[in-house]
Amino acid sequence: MTHKTDPPTIEILLVEDNEPDVLLTLEAFEDARVPNRMHVARDGVEALRFLRREGEHAEAPRPDVILMDINMPRKTGLEVLAEVKADPSLRSIPVVMLTTSQAEDDVRSSYERHASGYVVKPVGFENFLGAIRAFEAFWMTFVRFPPRS
């Protein structure tokens, strides 16, 4: 007899300063087929505090994947990406840039800093929902994440 096991809950860190985009992303992941817990950092400084488990984030889980905007206050997504990939304890976490920027320099800079992917946010809820569903289908169904430490 085989026993079906429930898929593990995927820990996602969303790094986004735009409240409507945060709400859209949270809503899109609510109905995901794969169980997930979404954590939100509103800027790059907060993201690094979450990842390093500093201050109010001392009990934060290690995310399985990071979804990160580029243009944010205090510390940009590219700056955070560079710090994450330079830190031996964090560099194995996949980072997907989720941004409105279509600038070739941002795309190139993201991959030069070892982003796992670059997704331009589509305009409109249905299109955005479609992009999140595609993300879910690939990252949460087929990808095997590194073990949490």
Side-chain angles (χ1 to χ4, degrees):
M1 180 188 328
T2 60
H3 296 284
K4 184 179 178 191
T5 59
D6 291 330
T9 299
I10 304 297
E11 301 286 350
I12 303 168
L13 174 59
L14 173 65
V15 187
E16 174 62 69
D17 66 312
N18 182 291
E19 190 61 25
D21 286 349
V22 169
L23 294 174
L24 278 175
T25 305
L26 292 173
E27 185 174 336
F29 274 96
E30 270 182 12
D31 298 325
R33 291 181 298 273
V34 176
N36 67 84
R37 282 196 319 168
M38 183 75 67
H39 308 275
V40 179
R42 306 291 176 172
D43 62 46
V45 171
E46 185 181 358
L48 289 170
R49 290 178 55 76
F50 183 97
L51 291 165
R52 294 174 178 152
R53 298 178 176 142
E54 296 173 349
E56 69 275 14
H57 301 293
E59 301 298 318
R62 177 184 173 88
D64 295 301
V65 63
I66 300 168
L67 296 175
M68 186 156 43
D69 191 16
I70 288 182
N71 300 308
M72 295 182 293
R74 301 202 300 164
K75 195 174 281 268
T76 70
L78 291 173
E79 292 170 323
V80 175
L81 176 60
E83 287 192 44
V84 167
K85 295 306 178 179
D87 185 328
S89 68
L90 301 174
R91 72 171 51 129
S92 65
I93 301 171
V95 180
V96 177
M97 307 311 282
L98 181 62
T99 181
T100 57
S101 174
Q102 297 186 44
E104 291 299 317
D105 285 346
D106 286 341
V107 175
R108 183 176 40 261
S109 294
S110 295
Y111 285 115
E112 286 173 349
R113 289 169 176 80
H114 307 287
S116 301
Y118 192 99
V119 177
V120 177
K121 293 177 195 171
V123 176
F125 178 72
E126 289 303 319
N127 293 333
F128 186 81
L129 189 60
I132 294 300
R133 293 286 182 247
F135 171 88
E136 175 194 0
F138 177 72
W139 283 96
M140 298 175 72
T141 304
F142 298 110
V143 172
R144 182 163 177 186
F145 295 104
R148 295 181 189 140
S149 50

